[in-house]
Each structure stands twice: as C-alpha cells, then as structure tokens.
Amino acid sequence: MARNSTDTKEKLLDAFDILLDKQGISGATLDAVAAKAGVSKGGLLYHYGSKAELIKGSLERLDRLVDEDVESMKAAGERLHLYYLETSAEIGTPLDRSLIAASCLAQENDEAKSALRRTREAWFNALNNHLGDADMAMTIQLIGDGMYFNQNFGLSQDEALAHVKNVLARLGL
C-alpha cells in the first residue's frame, strides 16, 4: 500500500511544531523530527531537504490554517466577533500548535515574525470589516489575545468569556 505523501508531510510538520514547543529551536533537529514523526531521516529529507524547508513548511501551514480560520469567522455571520472570542482560548488545535511553533521560530527568524504579523492582520481585518470600527476590532482582538495567553499558561477563568460577552452585550454587540 502506497503511503500518502501529504499525510507524511503533515506528520513531519506536526512533529516539528511539537518539538519547537517542547524543546525550542535547537531541540527541533532533523533527527529529532524524523524520530518524533516515526519517519526515517531519509524520508524527512525527501519531503523537507533542510531545516529551512521545514520552517517554510510550518509557516505555510500557519498561513493556510489562518485562512481557514478567517473563513470560519466569516461563516459565523453576525456572530463573527463572538466566534473569534470563543475560539481564542482553544489550545491543542492544529492552529494553536502552529501559532506556538511560529512564536518559537520568531525569536530567531524574520519570516516567522512576518507570518505572525500576517496572522494578526488577517484576524484584525475580518473583525474590522465585520464591526466597521477599527478601535472596537482592536479591542476584541486584544481581549482574545488575553484569553489565549491565560489559557496557554493555565491562568484562565471559566467565567472570563461570559464576562466579556456581558460587556459586549451592553455595548450592543
């Protein structure tokens, strides 16, 4: 049975992103990625010929996942801003893992910084187009950032989203 090349590439990117999160850039070696993905080093090099190509693949996947997320936001219609907030604190998702990986890479990689900038701009543009108010869009985005930060560092409060929704309802949102 032939292996699906796309599945193997995704396994390799998953392994790379996880290693970046757990061990940092220096721990995400080609050998470690191959081992984590259960693929030979030759198999890894067939798909990604270098660490630079792995980085590029990881950042391209982030762009793709953000595009998908923006489409999901738009599909939420009048609830777009609420969808954004409700999903801001999701951890363990492919998008979350990609964001963490890009954040690790951004410490040393300008392309990762650019990818994170594109991510923020895509979300902001979706919020701004929906709300028609750049100040409100930025406020919603910053609230989402805080919720994401708290969730990732185990500081989240179960009632935080309810408080935010109460305030937004008072503002007519």
Side-chain angles (χ1 to χ4, degrees):
M1 174 196 263
R3 292 187 179 170
N4 184 329
S5 179
T6 302
D7 289 346
T8 302
K9 288 177 89 169
E10 288 297 309
K11 279 177 52 176
L12 289 164
L13 291 175
D14 288 343
F16 183 59
D17 288 355
I18 289 167
L19 287 166
L20 284 169
D21 180 29
K22 302 296 181 202
Q23 297 180 18
I25 296 168
S26 62
T29 65
L30 295 178
D31 288 328
V33 171
K36 180 84 173 156
V39 174
S40 69
K41 187 170 181 184
L44 179 148
L45 292 172
Y46 173 79
H47 295 288
Y48 299 101
S50 65
K51 192 169 187 177
E53 286 185 29
L54 263 175
I55 291 169
K56 181 181 177 200
S58 179
L59 297 176
E60 286 173 349
R61 179 165 69 169
L62 173 60
D63 286 340
R64 186 181 75 247
L65 291 171
V66 169
D67 289 345
E68 291 170 6
D69 191 52
V70 168
E71 289 306 312
S72 294
M73 289 171 68
K74 291 175 182 176
E78 289 303 311
R79 295 192 76 256
L80 184 146
H81 60 291
L82 296 174
Y83 172 91
Y84 177 79
L85 290 169
E86 290 164 355
T87 60
S88 287
E90 291 180 346
I91 58 172
T93 66
L95 178 55
D96 172 51
R97 286 191 302 273
S98 287
L99 284 168
I100 291 170
S103 297
C104 292
L105 290 168
Q107 297 172 35
E108 299 178 12
N109 183 290
D110 288 338
E111 288 302 314
K113 289 176 189 171
S114 294
L116 290 171
R117 195 171 298 110
R118 285 190 304 274
T119 295
R120 305 254 332 132
E121 289 169 358
W123 285 331
F124 173 79
N125 289 337
L127 288 164
N128 190 34
N129 290 339
H130 168 65
L131 296 168
D133 181 333
D135 294 333
M136 185 60 72
M138 182 57 65
T139 300
I140 297 290
Q141 190 169 32
L142 291 170
I143 291 169
D145 289 350
M147 293 172 61
Y148 181 72
F149 177 88
N150 284 346
Q151 188 67 31
N152 270 289
F153 290 98
L155 305 172
S156 102
Q157 298 173 319
D158 293 336
E159 68 278 358
L161 183 59
H163 289 299
V164 170
K165 285 182 174 180
N166 287 339
V167 170
L168 292 177
R170 288 197 302 262
L171 295 171
L173 298 173

